[in-house]
Amino acid sequence: MKRLRIVTCVFIVIVIISSITYASSRGNILNVTQDISETKYLQDNQGYISKQIVETNSEEGEVTIELKLSNTKKETEKEELYENTEVYIIVSENIVKDNEKLTKYMNDIENLSNNIFRANTKTKIGIIGITGTIRDRSIDENGNMVTGEKDEGMVDGTAENSEIVVELTNNLDIIKNSLQHMNSSKNIYHNNLQAAIRLANRSYSNNVNKILISLYDGVPDIAIGVHSEVTYGWFSEYSTAEEGIKAKHENIANYTRSEIMTLKDSDISFILLRPDDTSYDETWYHTSTGEKLLDFDGSPYVQKLYGTMDNPTYGKMYSFNDTNIDTIITENIYKDVKELIQPDISNVKVTDYFPKDIIEYFDFEYVGQPSRGTISNSIDKEDRTIIWDIGLLKGNEEATLKYKLKIKDIDNKELLDKEIDTNEKVVLTYKDQEEKENELILDSSPKIKLQKRMDNQLQENLQIENTNKIDNTIANKILPNTGIKEIIIVLITCIGLIGIITYIKYRKIKLK
């Protein structure tokens, strides 16, 4: 009976060793020869689509593939990308005194805002009004200036000479309604552009694209710490009116220009709309007598403040006249804004075409649900496709879909050493912010190959060689295979120990 037990143990050991030896010499494994497709960019490098093998089980003959569509701008070394954008538009509140011009500006701002919101729903727009000290002056029938009781010509400008007319919003109705109620008292102000720029600079949120558009183009009347009047004579440091006027304009141009340059330090994009004509003529009057003092050419201070069309102080400058201002605002400026925001895309649909080998020799299974949108229940066997309907993909968002391919027969001789594309092509269709239909075809794919099992070191070398051939736009994630040889050694060692123990017990039995 004891001998029968010993024989049985030896037989089991032989069977186990034979099974392991057979398993180590038989079968195939599924290798990854390319783990990622090319990265195909959308129009204007707006985003990209790619496919990648993210998990591998070579022994079981299965891979998990991720299809990704990203609506993120192509990054450059010098450009930091943000998810949201905030746009402030500067207007002079004096515009309320000219109903025709106010209506035109409101229409232009409305059109610009509408285009921006259509391009990216995350963008917000606010309106900053330039105010200042109150101007209460008129010219009588004799050509003399008459100063009213409310005039504040001798009051210095302050940082409070501006206000937010429209808080940041992506609601067009709020913008329209707020503009209609701007400067309800219909005051006329000595404009303080410096104050408006300073207010804008401190009103943006953190970590957003910042854009400031100025629809005010003149030389301001005042600046912070500078009033609109000029004193001269024995009681002043200026001997003539002209000398004082020049000094006043010099200070205003310098202070306001310095404020514009702070926008650069704050990484705020600046766009200025002004006429080609830099002439700026003023008529100055005596504040006491109302008599005309002189006509003053302020054009040098326009250039000192804003620069020229070819060389602006900072940012971009567009020229306009009364006939093309709406085109400049709704086209040129809109294009500049669009470069900084990440537009939404809509009607997004991805059709994934599979090769015949995948359909015939592999099982297909989704890994969870797509991160956005809906997906076909299974592969359509007639046209060999799945359809992923994403719908709307907002700026700086991405959508992912994962599925698993598992070979039906790991010992399939027909597929042995044949490189297989995991998909034939991917067709992306979408509408851009202009409602234009776009199509993009991704015709490269991750690749796999069924191969004979080999020595573990050779297998690792093969994986390294294949990895070196892959476009590394996105990090590789090939998983190493299990070391069969190490497992066999461990098992044989264990079996040997069992045999020794059994032999010792058998010897003890015989001695008895």
Side-chain angles (χ1 to χ4, degrees):
M1 186 68 179
K2 291 179 181 178
R3 287 186 176 183
L4 179 60
R5 289 179 182 175
I6 293 169
V7 171
T8 302
C9 288
V10 172
F11 176 76
I12 292 172
V13 169
I14 293 171
V15 170
I16 292 173
I17 292 174
S18 300
S19 300
I20 293 172
T21 303
Y22 172 74
S24 64
S25 62
R26 70 170 283 276
N28 306 318
I29 57 175
L30 189 68
N31 284 323
V32 176
T33 60
Q34 180 175 321
D35 71 334
I36 189 170
S37 70
E38 68 172 314
T39 300
K40 203 71 174 272
Y41 283 90
L42 280 61
Q43 184 179 1
D44 298 326
N45 289 328
Q46 179 173 335
Y48 66 87
I49 187 169
S50 67
K51 296 190 78 171
Q52 182 177 13
I53 293 176
V54 292
E55 290 183 27
T56 305
N57 189 329
S58 298
E59 301 297 325
E60 296 297 326
E62 65 182 32
V63 293
T64 299
I65 297 174
E66 181 183 73
L67 175 58
K68 178 188 288 186
L69 174 62
S70 179
N71 188 14
T72 54
K73 193 173 184 180
K74 190 174 183 179
E75 292 191 37
T76 65
E77 293 182 1
K78 297 182 180 179
E79 186 175 18
E80 187 173 5
L81 304 178
Y82 298 106
E83 183 175 356
N84 298 317
T85 299
E86 294 177 355
V87 181
Y88 275 108
I89 301 173
I90 293 177
V91 297
S92 171
E93 294 197 21
N94 288 345
I95 202 172
V96 299
K97 295 292 284 185
D98 186 333
N99 290 329
E100 184 178 347
K101 195 171 184 180
L102 174 63
T103 301
K104 187 171 182 54
Y105 263 59
M106 287 180 61
N107 288 337
D108 292 334
I109 291 172
E110 179 182 341
N111 290 335
L112 174 62
S113 303
N114 193 40
N115 286 342
I116 292 173
F117 293 150
R118 191 174 69 238
N120 186 319
T121 56
K122 294 180 180 178
T123 300
K124 293 183 178 180
I125 296 175
I127 308 294
I128 290 179
I130 303 174
T131 63
T133 52
I134 293 177
R135 180 186 181 96
D136 184 12
R137 297 174 179 180
S138 60
I139 305 300
D140 65 17
E141 56 186 13
N142 296 319
N144 295 327
M145 183 182 71
V146 179
T147 302
E149 293 181 357
K150 295 194 299 182
D151 189 77
E152 298 176 327
M154 292 298 292
V155 179
D156 284 348
T158 70
E160 281 65 53
N161 293 151
S162 64
E163 62 179 350
I164 294 180
V165 176
V166 182
E167 297 283 354
L168 287 169
T169 181
N170 55 8
N171 187 318
L172 188 58
D173 289 335
I174 291 177
I175 293 175
K176 291 162 60 178
N177 291 335
S178 298
L179 281 172
Q180 287 174 347
H181 296 91
M182 177 175 65
N183 193 0
S184 57
S185 60
K186 296 189 181 299
N187 286 325
I188 298 299
Y189 298 104
H190 297 289
N191 285 312
N192 188 343
L193 177 60
Q194 183 189 8
I197 294 173
R198 184 171 295 188
L199 175 59
N201 204 335
R202 67 172 185 258
S203 298
Y204 290 96
S205 306
N206 295 324
N207 301 319
V208 295
N209 288 319
K210 304 170 187 177
I211 303 172
L212 181 61
I213 301 170
S214 178
L215 302 185
Y216 176 78
D217 63 282
V219 174
D221 303 307
I222 59 174
I224 298 172
V226 180
H227 57 251
S228 67
E229 296 299 326
V230 171
T231 56
Y232 62 96
W234 63 269
F235 50 84
S236 171
E237 59 182 305
Y238 308 115
S239 57
T240 65
E242 184 173 6
E243 185 181 344
I245 292 168
K246 286 181 177 180
K248 169 184 175 290
H249 280 79
E250 186 77 18
N251 285 337
I252 291 174
N254 285 336
Y255 293 166
T256 309
R257 178 187 173 91
S258 295
E259 204 70 43
I260 290 174
M261 293 307 296
T262 65
L263 300 174
K264 183 176 182 180
D265 297 333
S266 300
D267 197 25
I268 299 173
S269 299
F270 184 55
I271 301 171
L272 173 69
L273 189 63
R274 62 159 291 106
D276 268 327
D277 184 8
T278 57
S279 62
Y280 182 67
D281 297 324
E282 289 185 318
T283 301
W284 282 75
Y285 300 86
H286 196 288
T287 53
S288 299
T289 66
E291 294 179 344
K292 178 179 175 180
L293 288 174
L294 77 157
D295 292 318
F296 178 74
D297 178 14
S299 57
Y301 303 99
V302 174
Q303 292 190 30
K304 186 177 184 67
L305 172 55
Y306 296 122
T308 63
M309 294 294 171
D310 296 330
N311 187 25
T313 296
Y314 169 63
K316 289 190 176 183
M317 190 189 300
Y318 287 106
S319 64
F320 74 93
N321 54 48
D322 290 338
T323 60
N324 75 343
I325 183 172
D326 53 340
T327 303
I328 296 295
I329 290 177
T330 57
E331 292 186 12
N332 299 73
I333 293 180
Y334 167 62
K335 288 178 182 177
D336 289 331
V337 174
K338 194 171 70 170
E339 286 180 5
L340 295 171
I341 65 179
Q342 188 60 35
D344 301 338
I345 54 177
S346 60
N347 292 68
V348 182
K349 184 178 290 186
V350 178
T351 305
D352 198 346
Y353 291 80
F354 294 92
K356 185 178 179 183
D357 285 341
I358 295 294
I359 300 295
E360 289 189 6
Y361 302 120
F362 287 79
D363 290 323
F364 172 91
E365 177 187 359
Y366 290 117
V367 179
Q369 295 294 318
S371 63
R372 298 180 187 279
T374 58
I375 191 71
S376 307
N377 292 329
S378 60
I379 297 177
D380 186 311
K381 295 300 171 55
E382 289 188 11
D383 55 13
R384 303 199 301 269
T385 63
I386 57 172
I387 296 177
W388 182 18
D389 191 349
I390 299 174
L392 175 68
L393 190 61
K394 295 183 178 181
N396 294 298
E397 290 183 345
E398 67 178 27
T400 57
L401 167 68
K402 289 183 181 180
Y403 56 78
K404 185 181 295 184
L405 299 175
K406 182 174 183 179
I407 196 167
K408 295 176 181 177
D409 180 8
I410 196 93
D411 295 316
N412 189 321
K413 295 181 179 179
E414 293 184 36
L415 294 183
L416 197 62
D417 293 325
K418 180 180 180 181
E419 190 169 61
I420 303 170
D421 291 325
T422 53
N423 69 286
E424 186 176 293
K425 64 179 178 180
V426 177
V427 178
L428 165 67
T429 58
Y430 66 95
K431 284 185 178 181
D432 60 22
Q433 65 281 358
E434 308 295 339
E435 295 295 311
K436 178 185 175 183
E437 295 280 358
N438 290 273
E439 180 179 275
L440 182 69
I441 298 177
L442 177 67
D443 51 13
S444 72
S445 74
K447 304 177 189 300
I448 53 180
K449 183 184 288 188
L450 187 65
Q451 294 178 300
K452 282 286 187 184
R453 190 187 308 275
M454 60 183 71
D455 177 82
N456 191 57
Q457 184 59 48
L458 291 175
Q459 180 67 30
E460 290 178 0
N461 291 341
L462 176 64
Q463 287 181 342
I464 292 172
E465 180 183 349
N466 289 331
T467 301
N468 290 335
K469 296 178 182 178
I470 298 171
D471 176 5
N472 290 315
T473 304
I474 301 176
N476 299 319
K477 295 184 181 178
I478 298 178
L479 303 181
N481 295 317
T482 307
I484 298 298
K485 184 166 65 176
E486 286 78 4
I487 295 175
I488 293 173
I489 291 171
V490 172
L491 288 175
I492 290 176
T493 301
C494 293
I495 292 168
L497 289 173
I498 293 172
I500 291 170
I501 294 169
T502 304
Y503 174 74
I504 292 172
K505 286 186 177 181
Y506 170 68
R507 292 290 295 168
K508 286 181 179 180
I509 291 169
K510 284 192 70 176
L511 289 174
K512 291 179 178 180

